[in-house]
Amino acid sequence: MKNTLKQKLRNNEAVVGTMITTFDNPELAKILKVCGFDFFVVDCEHGHFDYSAVGNICSVAREAGIPAVVRIPEVRREIVLKYMEMGATGLLLPNCDTVEQATALVEYSKYFPMGNRGVSLLRQHTGYEKIDSATEYMKQCNEENVLMIQVESPTSVENLDKIMSIDGIDSAFVGPNDLSQSMGIMGQYDNPRFIEAVEYVITTAKAKGKYSGIHMMSVPTLQPWLDKGMTFSLLGNDLIFMMNAAKENLSKLKK
């Protein structure tokens, strides 16, 4: 499947996705495509999804034509390889504080010469189709798959310039809850220190020719960051959307 996500980013379009946190019905991929999201993230850090569930979601996403990114629990070869083999369009690494973590992400997810991903081509990521040129296919994967590192601590902010200099790392993604809590200002998104840190993420990524984004639960909280130049962000999640719609409608009935 052609990665429309990378193409949109290269065209300087702001892409907006959402996160699957709770429901593992693979049809969610198609539903999110119909809703108009540019991509989605399956949360395998806080979420309880097993490999089979994620594989099923990625399969439907491939057929529906919507990029599926997986937030991995940690950077280990087994974890990274399995999600890439399922056909994930990209990976999001939480709590990425060091160059070593980001380098390992590239090493395990990219084929030679960028990395050392294991080669097995009759798999879900190829759609079980015959690959005429393995070399060309692997080159295309290296170019199109998306790697995002999550900025969630002052240490990550401090090391961001070096992390974003790594070939293969595409985007710096702010986790606002963890970043603010690690700064001792949990949830204070209007705090000048928080704003300064996030603005630094935007400018640093842009200076390296990379992208930046943030995960917010509402349009009013996300829009200001889009206006500041973020182009790779998340809005809400499956549970929030369901609960908000349910509460809104029930409140009209139970006046």
Side-chain angles (χ1 to χ4, degrees):
M1 183 182 77
K2 183 71 174 177
N3 185 353
T4 56
L5 184 60
K6 257 296 181 62
Q7 191 57 54
K8 287 179 179 179
L9 289 167
R10 289 169 180 150
N11 292 341
N12 295 317
E13 297 180 39
V15 298
V16 177
T18 192
M19 187 172 282
I20 296 177
T21 66
T22 307
F23 305 114
D24 66 5
N25 188 321
E27 293 301 321
L28 272 176
K30 176 63 175 177
I31 292 169
L32 295 177
K33 168 72 172 182
V34 172
C35 287
F37 286 105
D38 298 297
F39 72 103
F40 65 85
V41 174
V42 184
D43 185 9
C44 293
E45 179 195 14
H46 295 286
H48 61 267
F49 307 104
D50 61 27
Y51 284 137
S52 295
V54 179
N56 290 337
I57 293 171
C58 286
S59 286
V60 175
R62 177 187 176 87
E63 297 306 314
I66 181 171
V69 175
V70 178
R71 178 157 72 173
I72 60 178
E74 59 181 322
V75 59
R76 283 199 294 116
R77 182 182 183 277
E78 174 195 351
I79 293 171
V80 170
L81 180 61
K82 286 189 184 298
Y83 288 129
M84 297 305 291
E85 299 296 88
M86 291 175 195
T89 300
L91 302 175
L92 171 59
L93 175 61
N95 299 297
C96 184
D97 288 338
T98 67
V99 167
E100 289 75 19
Q101 289 172 297
T103 300
L105 182 64
V106 175
E107 174 75 9
Y108 300 148
S109 63
K110 299 287 189 180
Y111 293 114
F112 179 85
M114 288 185 69
N116 193 32
R117 174 181 169 182
V119 181
S120 184
L121 299 181
L122 191 60
R123 294 284 178 178
Q124 192 171 334
H125 66 95
T126 63
Y128 305 104
E129 299 174 0
K130 183 179 182 297
I131 302 300
D132 294 326
S133 171
T135 301
E136 285 303 311
Y137 175 77
M138 291 187 289
K139 179 182 178 182
Q140 181 183 14
C141 287
N142 281 354
E143 291 174 350
E144 293 193 350
N145 289 336
V146 177
L147 296 182
M148 307 163 65
I149 60 96
Q150 198 153 355
V151 180
E152 300 187 282
S153 73
T155 301
S156 182
V157 175
E158 182 179 342
N159 292 329
L160 191 62
D161 185 82
K162 293 179 180 178
I163 292 172
M164 297 310 292
S165 297
I166 298 171
D167 188 24
I169 299 299
D170 298 293
S171 178
F173 185 78
V174 176
N177 283 342
D178 282 333
L179 179 57
S180 63
Q181 87 152 342
S182 66
M183 297 174 72
I185 50 174
M186 176 64 195
Q188 297 179 32
Y189 303 142
D190 57 352
N191 188 295
R193 290 172 53 216
F194 178 83
I195 293 173
E196 181 182 10
V198 180
E199 287 179 341
Y200 177 76
V201 172
I202 297 171
T203 57
T204 302
K206 187 174 182 179
K208 299 297 181 180
K210 308 292 181 72
Y211 312 105
S212 63
I214 194 169
H215 189 185
M216 289 297 187
M217 293 299 135
S218 68
V219 171
T221 54
L222 176 59
Q223 189 62 59
W225 294 114
L226 300 184
D227 294 340
K228 286 178 180 287
M230 283 186 158
T231 57
F232 200 173
S233 299
L234 292 175
L235 173 66
N237 60 50
D238 53 352
L239 186 61
I240 288 292
F241 285 132
M242 188 200 75
M243 292 183 68
N244 284 351
K247 289 177 179 179
E248 179 183 356
N249 283 279
L250 284 171
S251 68
K252 295 174 182 177
L253 292 174
K254 299 182 177 182
K255 296 179 181 179

